[in-house]
Amino acid sequence: MGYGITVTTAMPFDEAVAAVREALGAQGFGILTEIDMAATLKKKIDADIPPQVILGACNPPLAHRALQVEESVGLLLPCNVVVRERDGATVVEALDPQIMVGVTGNDDLAAVADDAATRLRAALGTLG
């Protein structure tokens, strides 16, 4: 079973990051966190990797619904979206929200996960 929703775009990395932010915003997601993996790994262990950021995306109404069903689901939030450079292209990946259902074993999360997945697929679909 795959665990991500992935698209590849010819957009340059910085342009893709901006487009991802905009596309997520159009689907009701805000960005709570941003981790620059390339900068962090360079600083902490002097490792060089291609540009890569992890965006912690949150749709408050969906997060609230999920918390009403499974109080510990915050362990799996926010929705992580990775933007990374690979072989001259930019790859954008989001964790499939259905993973929440599988990890928790709580089928009552399925409707929230479906809604979140639909929104994430719509956002990423604007990039290809």
Side-chain angles (χ1 to χ4, degrees), residues 5-117:
I5 302 165
T6 305
V7 298
T8 302
T9 180
M11 275 186 239
F13 177 79
D14 289 334
E15 185 180 322
V17 171
V20 168
R21 287 176 169 281
E22 185 176 327
L24 289 170
Q27 292 296 322
F29 290 90
I31 304 301
L32 300 178
T33 60
E34 180 172 340
I35 302 167
D36 183 333
M37 290 299 294
T40 299
L41 293 178
K42 183 65 176 173
K43 180 179 178 181
K44 298 292 185 181
I45 61 172
D46 198 30
D48 292 311
I49 65 167
Q52 181 173 155
V53 297
I54 302 171
L55 302 174
C58 179
N59 179 303
L62 292 178
H64 183 254
R65 283 175 50 202
L67 288 165
Q68 300 308 301
V69 174
E70 177 75 38
E71 68 181 355
S72 293
V73 79
L75 292 166
L76 303 171
L77 299 176
C79 296
N80 283 326
V81 179
V82 175
V83 183
R84 60 188 169 89
E85 201 172 81
R86 181 178 70 194
D87 300 326
T90 302
V91 177
V92 182
E93 300 173 300
L95 183 66
D96 186 339
Q98 287 299 333
I99 295 301
M100 291 187 308
V101 180
V103 168
T104 63
N106 187 337
D107 291 336
D108 291 340
L109 282 172
V112 179
D114 287 343
D115 191 354

